[in-house]
Amino acid sequence: MANDLINSFMSGPDENGRFGIFGGRFVSETLMPLILELEAQYERAKTDPEFWAEMDDLWKYYVGRPSPLYYAERLTEELGGAKIYLKREELNHTGAHKINNVLGQILLARRMGKTRIIAETGAGQHGVATATVCAKFGLKCIVYMGATDVERQAPNVFRMRLLGAEVVPVTSGRGTLKDAMNDAMRDWVTNVHDTFYCIGTVAGPHPYPAMVRDFQAIIGKETRWQLEEQEGEGRLPDTIVAAVGGGSNAMGLFYPFLDDPSVNIIGVEAGGHGVDDRMEHCASLTGGRPGVLHGNRTYLLQDEDGQILEGHSISAGLDYPGIGPEHSWLHDTGRASYVSVTDKEALEAFQLLCRTEGIIPALESSHAVAHVQKIAGGLPKDHIIVINLSGRGDKDIYTVAKFLGFDMSDTEGRTAD
Amino acid sequence: MTRIDAKFAELKAAGKKAFVAYVMAGDPDYDRSLAVVKGLPGAGVDVIELGLPFTDPMADGPTIQAAGQRALDAGMTLKKTLQIATEFRKEDDTTPIVLMGYYNPIYSMGVPAFLDAAKAAGIDGLIVVDLPPEEDAELCLPAQAAGLNFIRLATPTTDDKRLPKVLQNTSGFVYYVSITGITGAAEAQAGDVAPEVARIKGQTDLPVIVGFGIKTPDTAQAIAAVADGAVVGSAIVSQIAAGKPVAEVLDYVKALSDGAHRA
């Protein structure tokens, strides 16, 4: 598909929930009436000023929006090229962009009279955000989390439990985000009458990919006026960069810029141990092909029989064999480009940001920083890059310490050998 | 007329209810699975549902999930699943086989190639759990055009407004899911199922078969009595999971089919 045949990149999805061939509603019949009802409710809410007034109020006073757009001066100097801004989503309440979307979905759930909220989580950021908003509104919250992730994201598991959520470790498959999503859908199909499924990313059956994108688009909308405020009226970023697992923080930043052709859009996938035949990565676009999973058609890591592969990433939040369908479409149309960085490169970028800016980024967001680390030096000083710093890295310190050979139990702070 | 249509016409003429058995292809391995499938008609099974293994069976409970994983671990694929049907057809040309699974392995093979292969293997119908009527253009319509039945699930959440849409492109029979939930979960209740079956039969002439949550000969009898037949899956798969020899698995199936046929 050539770009000049498309009038707007912001008009999708169509009435069948498709972005080109991607997206759709590939769910069992039991769930169909529920997602049709959700779609109808969302369509009503979308044009209801009262709904958005409530969102704006919560975003401002509960989440702390707008999140700053911060000129990263020392990082810019260190890399010696493009001027780098960070969109500070890690400063949101609960420490990541996830809460932007959760608030929207929980307000919808309340309008629909649902009292029991379920969610899947990988790194635990979406689980924590959901548990948080459920606590605020007094709703029952059940979070499905792969057993592997329960182990590697222990601080977030404890946070969710403190917030009153029930965390269910999922042992099927390899015990990561994909398996958590399967079990959340099994719960939903069993408890259809009182349960709302709060999906954490721009994937799943229609209307989730569009709805989650719309709630996250606040990131890009703010970036637009904040950059003008600092760089002058009409100044757009030249390049915007975000990490992509399912892809919600990336869609949130990208969406408001899709129809600005001068803005170069880059999504960074998790390259794990390297994107090659060993499939030890989670780069669905660079290393997968189209398939159907979790309610939508999108690029997936799969074998030649169409069985889904597990993939690998050091970052639990990116450890998913699929990607939101709109990203698949942006990839195929060429409007956005997608690259991958390895675990090792992400860990280097993690440390770089700690040392140059005093910001500990999430391992997920470190992937975006790592790609900028590769390209910034070759770009002119008036080239503006915006990185979506989607989450903070406190939850990752154990993983990083282990990788760096630092013994966390040693109170003297010595390095383990 | 497919083998499915012929079988239901025959059962109707004889005043009998249908007993449908589900087994996962390749569970626990190709050879034992083929032996079980070949023995099903002799154990009173009227229609065979042959499960297509998938890594992410979102509508299935732990029993079927584990069966799919055992099959995949033993090297099962879509092609080998069709091979089981081919082998079965060498000995039995009347018992219908319905392939039941998820869309991705089929999509991965390519719909035209899949339909050719399925027809050649002697498959009569398809149940693809994650293809609701909204996605009929994907596989349902091409399958019907190729002469395969496309059997749809109707569920307790399928209300009267939606039911015509669900029935529209359905053929062979209608599979009523007795509970909201996953396979092998709560026990189906004939009292709850009867009015739902009547509701569906008010809108279609197709046979209505009930599945999910049927675990004993008595339940099979009670459910079959209020419908055109009953499906048992997880309970049979549990016998295979327990490592029972093929003959014992088939004895177990026979007890269930006797239950359904008493209705």
Side-chain angles (χ1 to χ4, degrees), chain B:
Chain B
M1 194 184 231
T2 64
R3 291 186 191 89
I4 297 172
D5 301 328
K7 175 61 76 175
F8 279 105
E10 176 197 320
L11 287 166
K12 195 174 178 188
K16 274 178 74 182
K17 299 299 174 83
F19 179 68
V20 181
Y22 171 99
V23 289
M24 178 65 78
D27 172 31
D29 54 47
Y30 182 90
D31 291 337
R32 277 181 283 178
S33 172
L34 178 60
V36 170
V37 172
K38 281 182 172 176
L40 291 175
V45 172
D46 299 303
V47 177
I48 298 170
E49 272 182 23
L50 188 60
L52 169 64
F54 184 49
T55 40
D56 294 82
M58 286 169 303
D60 286 300
T63 307
I64 305 284
Q65 284 178 54
Q69 201 52 57
R70 282 193 298 276
L72 291 171
D73 290 346
M76 208 58 193
T77 60
L78 172 52
K79 280 183 182 158
K80 288 184 189 168
T81 299
L82 296 177
Q83 182 63 32
I84 286 184
T86 305
E87 291 294 323
F88 175 86
R89 279 278 167 258
K90 288 179 183 167
E91 297 171 13
D92 183 321
D93 197 35
T94 56
T95 307
I97 303 178
V98 175
L99 189 71
M100 180 166 183
Y102 296 80
Y103 184 40
N104 199 54
I106 295 170
Y107 179 70
S108 173
M109 181 184 273
V111 166
F114 164 75
L115 290 175
D116 287 348
K119 284 283 284 182
I123 298 287
D124 305 289
L126 305 173
I127 300 177
V128 184
V129 180
D130 51 355
L131 285 179
E134 280 72 7
E135 304 292 351
D136 270 357
E138 294 281 333
L139 179 64
C140 172
L141 300 178
Q144 311 255 32
L148 288 170
N149 287 135
F150 196 87
I151 294 134
R152 192 100 63 194
L153 305 180
T155 72
T157 60
T158 312
D159 60 18
D160 284 333
K161 194 166 142 263
R162 185 169 167 79
L163 192 53
K165 193 175 176 89
V166 169
L167 295 173
Q168 191 181 17
N169 293 317
T170 302
S171 62
F173 60 90
V174 179
Y175 187 135
Y176 179 68
V177 177
S178 65
I179 51 163
T180 57
I182 50 182
T183 51
E187 186 91 2
Q189 302 296 328
D192 296 340
V193 167
E196 292 294 298
V197 172
R199 180 166 74 95
I200 296 167
K201 290 186 84 73
Q203 294 199 28
T204 181
D205 294 329
L206 291 170
V208 179
I209 306 301
V210 178
F212 281 44
I214 302 174
K215 300 168 184 179
T216 65
D218 287 346
T219 317
Q221 180 181 357
I223 295 291
V226 299
D228 296 306
V231 189
V232 178
S234 297
I236 298 170
V237 170
S238 298
Q239 298 294 306
I240 295 170
K244 298 277 172 67
V246 172
E248 272 183 49
V249 173
L250 293 172
D251 286 345
Y252 184 86
V253 173
K254 182 71 169 59
L256 289 162
S257 73
D258 285 345
H261 289 145
R262 272 196 299 273

Side-chain angles (χ1 to χ4, degrees), chain A residues 359-379:
Chain A
I359 296 171
I360 303 176
L363 278 173
E364 290 78 19
S365 323
S366 301
H367 284 71
V369 178
H371 183 67
V372 170
Q373 194 176 351
K374 289 183 190 173
I375 62 170
L379 293 166

Side-chain angles (χ1 to χ4, degrees), chain A residues 15-32:
Chain A
E15 77 258 24
N16 296 315
R18 298 290 181 99
F19 304 89
I21 67 161
F22 300 105
R25 301 181 183 103
F26 296 89
V27 297
S28 65
E29 173 60 23
T30 310
L31 293 180
M32 253 335 283

Side-chain angles (χ1 to χ4, degrees), chain A residues 113-129:
Chain A
K114 304 287 185 187
T115 52
R116 183 176 175 274
I117 309 297
I118 59 170
E120 84 295 335
T121 199
Q125 292 302 96
H126 175 59
V128 167

Side-chain angles (χ1 to χ4, degrees), chain A residues 243-244 267-276 278-283 286 312-315 318 338-351 362-374 400 403:
Chain A
V244 186
V268 185
E269 295 193 289
H273 297 319
V275 182
D276 55 32
R278 290 173 303 158
M279 291 308 246
E280 289 173 358
H281 62 83
C282 286
T286 25
H312 160 84
S313 171
I314 190 172
S315 143
L318 303 180
Y338 294 84
V339 298
S340 70
V341 306
T342 63
D343 288 352
K344 197 163 163 287
E345 291 165 335
L347 279 157
E348 279 163 18
F350 176 99
Q351 296 170 78
L363 278 173
E364 290 78 19
S365 323
S366 301
H367 284 71
V369 178
H371 183 67
V372 170
Q373 194 176 351
K374 289 183 190 173
V400 175
F403 184 85

